[in-house]
Amino acid sequence: WCRNLHEPVSGTMEDRLQRIISHYDQLRPRVEQSIDERSSWYDFYPELASRSYDALRSQHIIEKDLEIEAKFENATEYLFAKKLNHIPLRQPGSNNPDGLLTLGNNYVMWDNKSKESPVNLRDHLRQFDEYMDQADKPVPIFLVIGPSFSPESEAESIRYHARHFDRNIALITANELKDLADEWSSTSNTNRDEPFPLGLLAATGRFQRSRLGKL
């Protein structure tokens, strides 16, 4: 049992029993079992972004390290669909961003970067540029969602915008995006049943919640 829970298997029977009890005591309680399992992944959205292996295993969000990337992407779809009231579009082919939304006659694209270190925009900029180039509609907003960003990434996004006036690469952490989604879907927000105005994200560089004012 200890081995299945990734707990040490040495020691007396009493020691092992105590480890099992402690393991379940630290699990976050759930009021009810959600039909949509993505809600559980959403609860650990920042941990998926930063690849917090121990926390994700202890909470039974993952069993294998390779699950993190897909669950981070699926949790993002859940965030937009269930919290911000936008249904992600289905994309044909394989060379696509992780997500696509409609914004009038335009698209909003996003890409998830799950990493143990800060995301360096320059490492991925050519890939993102190709996604926008091959789109059949303009892409004024491209969201990069990660655990954090290198200091150089902001300047890189500004230089890209200087070459492409109609494109904004917005750098937003998983913590920031989850906080925004929770704020919008909160019962205290009278507009929570309406789609979140995606145009508010059309700002190049690092996301700053203070720029948006009162939602």
Side-chain angles (χ1 to χ4, degrees), residues 8-51:
V9 298
S10 60
T12 65
M13 179 67 72
E14 183 177 351
D15 291 338
R16 285 175 282 179
L17 287 172
Q18 188 57 50
R19 288 187 200 116
I20 294 170
I21 293 171
S22 297
H23 178 91
Y24 285 105
D25 280 346
Q26 70 177 351
L27 291 178
R28 297 184 190 177
R30 296 177 184 172
V31 176
E32 60 182 15
Q33 182 65 39
S34 175
I35 295 176
D36 191 340
E37 62 180 344
R38 296 178 303 172
S39 65
S40 299
W41 307 339
Y42 174 79
D43 289 340
F44 290 86
Y45 195 58
E47 289 85 353
L48 288 168
S50 60
R51 293 183 173 264

Side-chain angles (χ1 to χ4, degrees), residues 42-184:
Y42 174 79
D43 289 340
F44 290 86
Y45 195 58
E47 289 85 353
L48 288 168
S50 60
R51 293 183 173 264
S52 301
Y53 298 108
D54 291 341
L56 294 170
R57 286 195 192 96
S58 69
Q59 298 295 328
H60 304 294
I61 299 300
I62 63 166
E63 293 183 2
K64 300 178 181 178
D65 295 351
L66 293 175
E67 298 172 358
I68 289 180
E69 187 173 342
K71 289 186 175 180
F72 186 29
E73 293 172 8
N74 289 329
T76 306
E77 288 190 352
Y78 176 88
L79 181 154
F80 280 108
K82 302 299 183 180
K83 300 293 183 176
L84 299 182
N85 304 320
H86 289 276
I87 304 302
L89 302 175
R90 295 297 175 189
Q91 303 179 75
S94 56
N95 187 31
N96 298 309
D98 291 331
L100 187 69
L101 303 169
T102 294
L103 178 62
N105 294 321
N106 306 301
Y107 287 138
V108 173
M109 289 182 174
W110 81 76
D111 210 73
N112 294 96
K113 293 302 176 188
S114 178
K115 296 171 67 70
E116 297 176 76
S117 57
V119 176
N120 186 26
L121 177 61
R122 189 172 186 176
D123 296 338
H124 311 284
L125 195 54
R126 180 177 296 180
Q127 174 192 24
F128 300 158
D129 191 48
E130 289 178 358
Y131 292 155
M132 289 183 272
D133 281 345
Q134 70 184 13
D136 59 355
K137 293 181 182 179
V139 184
I141 306 172
F142 193 105
L143 294 176
V144 185
I145 308 166
S148 61
F149 296 91
S150 69
E152 301 80 15
S153 292
E154 171 117 15
E156 193 69 39
S157 66
I158 292 172
R159 284 193 292 268
Y160 181 84
H161 181 63
R163 298 191 302 270
H164 306 276
F165 295 137
D166 56 344
R167 297 177 181 177
N168 292 279
I169 296 182
L171 310 174
I172 187 167
T173 68
N175 268 312
E176 291 166 342
L177 184 55
K178 186 175 188 297
D179 286 347
L180 182 65
D182 288 340
E183 181 182 359
W184 184 259

